[in-house]
Amino acid sequence: MSKQMTGARMVIQALKDQGVEVVFGYPGGAVLPIYDEIFQQNDIRHVLVRHEQGAVHMAEGYARSTGKPGVALVTSGPGATNAVTGLTDALMDSIPIVVLTGQVPTFMIGTDGFQEADTVGITRPCTKMNWLVKDTAKLAETIHQAFHVATHGRPGPVLIDIPKDVQFATADYVPAEKAKIGHYQPRTEGDPDQIARLVEMMENAERPILYTGGGVINSGPRASALLRELAAETGFPVTSTLMGLGSYPASGKNWLGMLGMHGLYEANLAMHGCDLMINIGARFDDRITGRVKDFSPRSKKAHIDIDPSSINKVIHVDVPIVGDVTRVLEELLRQWRARGSRTEKAGLAKWWKQIDEWRAVRCLNYKPSASTIKPQYALERLEALTKGMDRYITTEVGQHQMWAAQFLGFEDPNRWMTSGGLGTMGYGLPASIGVQIAHPEALVINVAGEASWLMNMQEMGTAMQFRAPVKQFILNNERLGMVRQWQELLHGERYSSSWSESLPDFVKLAEAFGCKGIKVDHPKDLDDAILEMIRYDGPVIFDCLVEKHENCFPMIPSGKPHNEMLLSADAEAFRSGAVLV
Amino acid sequence: MSALNIKKGSTSHSAYDLRSALSEVEESHTLAVIVENEPGVLARVIGLFSGRGYNIDSLTVAEVDHTGHRSRITVVTRGTPAVIDQIEAQLSRMVPVYAVHDLTAEGPSVQRELALVKVQGRGEHRIEALRLAEIFRANVVDSTLESFVFEMTGTPDKIDAFAELMRPLGLAEIARTGVAALSRGI
Ligand SMILES: Cc1ncc(C[n+]2csc(CCOP(=O)(O)OP(=O)(O)O)c2C)c(N)n1
Ligand SMILES: [Mg+2]
């Protein structure tokens, strides 16, 4: 027997049926009926944000750190348009989120009503799918379908636009198990014949590399476990994109570090010089490939991806395998083991010797300083003092983000949340709150640049209100550091608008929000300050004044191939001795 | 390079694979996209083409299965083999898309377009227009003393040829439906 209820109640009921525990949102006229329902129940927690962009990034942080879809609720018009950046971010990084927007009543749509915006029109290119629900009878089913779409196949953001009269009207509630989820059932099993071809290549490869990405993490913890088995049993080296960090442990024997524009020397040269590249859930992004024409010129390439459109989009591959990473790795390991777990041992040994020579370049070396805090040093100390803790890291976008990826070690998946594809400054603070709400007891740190951090700093209010003890670790170089670096290296040192003028006093700002502010500007005080931050039971704004003109190396200038990497001056000294492929 | 007339996936090592995906030569392909007939779906499909910089040379849409609420979109597009493959993959992964058929790659197909062609003129021109219309099997669907509206169906090339011939005879206006296409045989 079905139950009659209002559309607004249906929204809550459907979220409960989907196992949602928390919604990040902001009210307004067009969602008042839903907020009225939120008020009258206790199962779903509502986190009131300070800006709708914050709500969507929080939902992303929640999703990325739990593997469950994140949910945001915003009003029509400006509420919806403020959500656009977060939706695009989630689309680029394949993060499953469900965004509910209010809309003017159906009879008013198209009349330029107050706070009317063509939300489904605006968000069509930045959602995996979106729906305008004009009939209450279809609302519950659409919500169930939305969760299915967000979490199946390549995950991504979905949006449901709900006019106010649809929220008020009543209809029969369609429970999740009765809802038609449609025909959307992406393929998860890889083609066994293609997998067999890859197995054969693995047996003969002399210079193989596992190039892993965010897809391993999206596929779930089992995928990371299988990747570890694969690396351990084959002895193949492993590198990862920014999005995939943690799927293979940083302490692992086969770990080469991150690859790409600011990736490690050994990782990029191994990509360039390999004879077999196995791409597992990565997408040959331009920050990875550099100049496409010269990308890994002598390798056979296999690509495992759940999204068929990722295959051959940028780089033409020899072995395409469409499927879920977990399922494909299971089958790959099964076949390879069944044939005797063979690898080309002599070739591999030579390959590792080569890699060790590249490693000896120590590409992350930087010039230490006794008087100024180097950003790399700050991260090394943060790493040392938080190692082994139940730790989650988010970041903003810029140099600090790349240094965090280089200098922090991730042992497990879902511990590293960063805006990769879109590169959204202002992502890290709200994302850290989303993570903390999901993991109340954990240590959640947002590694930030001062400029990015200001973009969504209003969310400190959210952190205070909901007792999310997030640590805002700001590497303050008083510069739009990454922009400044490009201007220095590529635009004749003309520093056009790339410094942070009129910065607030971050300690006073912390006091104004009612949280703790810590400022440190000398290396000798750093450890104590970090420990104070970790121990403080509440949100902290940590203002770490660092070297203003430090550059992030290695760097492959965009459009250059992997073997034309710039190293820091220190690493440069070693360069002449290194073998360039 | 011309597309091979072998159904994709018809053998385990399909001859379709022989077409080099690395060729830089642009090909014209006709795609049939079967979609859920819901508001916004056409916009999503078209948005894909504009958003990713693909070409649309012709586009037709209509619901073809009223009970199943399915529409058939026929798109004629152009691109290198790699781009065509990418378009097909991008379309196939869309949530409201049931199926994508590359009619050009899958085998022989029938392609038809309907055009209404208005020709204005008197005397010799008028007679010549009628004579040519007969050769092209175009029907007169409207006439005044100084004009005809011809209706004709055919391949886009045939319609182009007819319009070209009508130009000196007083071609005034032309409306075309875009291509509808089906694969031949079963
Ligand atoms: C919303 C947004 N606007 C502009 C940019 C371009 N951008 C990339 S990094 C950067 C500077 C970031 O400065 P900061 O947050 O202080 O980090 P730093 O590089 O100094 O570590 C800018 C402006 C961006 N990524 N996102
Ligand atoms: Mg900065």
Side-chain angles (χ1 to χ4, degrees), chain A residues 86-106:
Chain A
L87 287 167
T88 312
D89 193 89
L91 186 73
M92 292 289 269
D93 286 344
S94 310
I95 310 295
I97 56 169
V98 177
V99 175
L100 306 167
T101 53
Q103 182 54 279
V104 300
T106 47

Side-chain angles (χ1 to χ4, degrees), chain A residues 397-400 423 425 449-452 455 477 479-483:
Chain A
V397 170
Q399 290 180 315
H400 62 277
M425 291 171 69
E450 81 295 338
S452 297
M455 284 207 175
N477 52 11
R479 299 291 181 277
L480 312 184
M482 189 57 94
V483 171

Side-chain angles (χ1 to χ4, degrees), chain A residues 53 85 375 396-403 422-426 448-455 474-485 497-498 500 546 548:
Chain A
Q53 184 187 353
T85 302
E396 302 289 346
V397 170
Q399 290 180 315
H400 62 277
Q401 175 191 29
M402 294 298 119
W403 282 316
L422 196 63
T424 311
M425 291 171 69
E450 81 295 338
S452 297
W453 193 81
L454 291 177
M455 284 207 175
I474 303 175
L475 295 174
N476 183 353
N477 52 11
E478 298 174 20
R479 299 291 181 277
L480 312 184
M482 189 57 94
V483 171
R484 192 206 58 75
Q485 173 167 349
S497 299
S498 59
S500 299
V546 296
K548 300 184 196 330

Side-chain angles (χ1 to χ4, degrees), chain A residues 326-343:
Chain A
T326 304
R327 309 300 276 275
V328 174
L329 288 187
E330 267 167 3
E331 175 64 12
L332 183 71
L333 276 164
R334 193 193 63 72
Q335 287 195 23
W336 177 72
R337 286 168 182 157
R339 285 167 55 108
S341 303
R342 287 199 301 267
T343 56

Side-chain angles (χ1 to χ4, degrees), chain A residues 162-203:
Chain A
I162 314 171
K164 197 169 181 180
D165 54 337
V166 172
Q167 300 171 32
F168 276 127
T170 47
D172 283 343
Y173 178 75
V174 180
E177 61 282 1
K178 292 237 177 74
K180 288 199 252 352
I181 43 160
H183 67 280
Y184 185 70
Q185 296 294 352
R187 155 181 189 165
T188 55
E189 307 287 340
D191 176 350
D193 293 345
Q194 296 288 6
I195 294 175
R197 282 178 64 201
L198 174 55
V199 166
E200 213 171 293
M201 289 177 176
M202 283 166 54
E203 291 171 343

Side-chain angles (χ1 to χ4, degrees), chain A residues 322-558:
Chain A
V322 177
D324 180 46
V325 169
T326 304
R327 309 300 276 275
V328 174
L329 288 187
E330 267 167 3
E331 175 64 12
L332 183 71
L333 276 164
R334 193 193 63 72
Q335 287 195 23
W336 177 72
R337 286 168 182 157
R339 285 167 55 108
S341 303
R342 287 199 301 267
T343 56
E344 180 49 54
K345 294 245 159 39
L348 261 177
K350 257 175 77 187
W351 181 224
W352 274 110
K353 212 168 139 264
Q354 167 71 86
I355 289 170
D356 285 337
E357 279 174 37
W358 289 329
R359 278 176 165 168
V361 168
R362 309 194 69 79
C363 66
L364 295 182
N365 272 5
Y366 61 93
K367 204 175 273 143
S369 163
S371 54
T372 334
I373 301 176
K374 289 293 185 118
Q376 301 96 323
Y377 178 72
L379 288 163
E380 280 178 339
R381 293 319 302 156
L382 183 70
E383 170 75 0
L385 296 170
T386 59
K387 208 164 189 73
M389 291 184 180
D390 181 14
R391 181 189 82 177
Y392 292 82
I393 301 284
T394 67
T395 77
E396 302 289 346
V397 170
Q399 290 180 315
H400 62 277
Q401 175 191 29
M402 294 298 119
W403 282 316
Q406 293 173 341
F407 286 87
L408 301 180
F410 298 94
E411 296 298 310
D412 294 301
N414 305 98
R415 297 270 169 173
W416 162 252
M417 275 50 59
T418 193
S419 170
L422 196 63
T424 311
M425 291 171 69
Y427 165 89
L429 165 49
S432 71
I433 296 172
V435 173
Q436 188 83 73
I437 297 282
H439 309 276
E441 303 303 326
L443 173 64
V444 181
I445 304 171
N446 174 32
V447 176
E450 81 295 338
S452 297
W453 193 81
L454 291 177
M455 284 207 175
N456 272 322
M457 68 164 195
Q458 75 285 347
E459 299 306 332
M460 280 316 286
T462 311
M464 285 304 295
Q465 183 182 344
F466 294 90
R467 298 178 197 282
V470 289
K471 315 301 181 202
Q472 303 302 315
F473 193 75
I474 303 175
L475 295 174
N476 183 353
N477 52 11
E478 298 174 20
R479 299 291 181 277
L480 312 184
M482 189 57 94
V483 171
R484 192 206 58 75
Q485 173 167 349
W486 282 53
Q487 289 171 337
E488 179 186 332
L489 299 174
L490 305 163
H491 292 270
E493 300 181 50
R494 289 179 294 280
Y495 298 118
S496 183
S497 299
S498 59
W499 58 94
S500 299
E501 203 70 75
S502 308
L503 281 172
D505 178 327
F506 286 102
V507 173
K508 282 199 187 135
L509 192 63
E511 281 162 16
F513 276 112
C515 65
K516 186 173 185 63
I518 300 175
K519 178 174 178 161
V520 58
D521 61 3
H522 199 283
K524 73 171 166 32
D525 303 326
L526 184 61
D527 276 22
D528 285 345
I530 291 177
L531 288 172
E532 190 185 355
M533 173 186 86
I534 297 170
R535 287 180 192 141
Y536 183 73
D537 182 19
V540 177
I541 301 176
F542 190 97
D543 184 14
C544 186
L545 294 171
V546 296
E547 164 66 50
K548 300 184 196 330
H549 295 141
E550 193 72 12
N551 283 330
C552 182
F553 290 115
M555 175 180 182
I556 305 174
S558 45

Side-chain angles (χ1 to χ4, degrees), chain A residues 43-240:
Chain A
D43 297 326
I44 294 179
R45 186 170 176 211
H46 180 266
V47 173
L48 177 69
V49 301
R50 299 300 185 264
H51 184 295
E52 289 86 351
Q53 184 187 353
V56 184
H57 292 325
M58 284 180 212
E60 285 188 275
Y62 181 92
R64 191 74 176 163
S65 66
T66 58
K68 295 192 285 191
V71 181
L73 168 63
V74 302
T75 193
S76 66
T81 55
N82 276 347
V84 166
T85 302
L87 287 167
T88 312
D89 193 89
L91 186 73
M92 292 289 269
D93 286 344
S94 310
I95 310 295
I97 56 169
V98 177
V99 175
L100 306 167
T101 53
Q103 182 54 279
V104 300
T106 47
F107 55 83
M108 225 191 259
I109 289 178
T111 65
D112 298 322
F114 178 63
Q115 295 196 326
E116 179 181 358
D118 175 8
T119 301
V120 284
I122 291 169
T123 61
R124 197 169 284 127
C126 58
T127 51
K128 182 174 174 187
M129 187 60 193
N130 61 8
W131 297 263
L132 167 64
V133 182
K134 287 185 171 168
D135 177 359
T136 308
K138 290 199 177 137
L139 180 57
E141 189 162 48
T142 306
I143 296 174
H144 298 312
Q145 204 181 341
F147 275 87
H148 174 79
V149 168
T151 53
H152 286 72
R154 180 174 178 176
V158 297
L159 179 143
I160 309 164
D161 200 23
I162 314 171
K164 197 169 181 180
D165 54 337
V166 172
Q167 300 171 32
F168 276 127
T170 47
D172 283 343
Y173 178 75
V174 180
E177 61 282 1
K178 292 237 177 74
K180 288 199 252 352
I181 43 160
H183 67 280
Y184 185 70
Q185 296 294 352
R187 155 181 189 165
T188 55
E189 307 287 340
D191 176 350
D193 293 345
Q194 296 288 6
I195 294 175
R197 282 178 64 201
L198 174 55
V199 166
E200 213 171 293
M201 289 177 176
M202 283 166 54
E203 291 171 343
N204 297 313
E206 297 187 345
R207 302 187 309 279
I209 188 164
L210 302 171
Y211 153 42
T212 65
V216 183
I217 291 172
N218 276 337
S219 177
R222 175 103 184 101
S224 294
L226 289 165
L227 171 66
R228 291 161 194 226
E229 286 177 31
L230 179 69
E233 292 176 37
T234 58
F236 290 0
V238 188
T239 182
S240 165

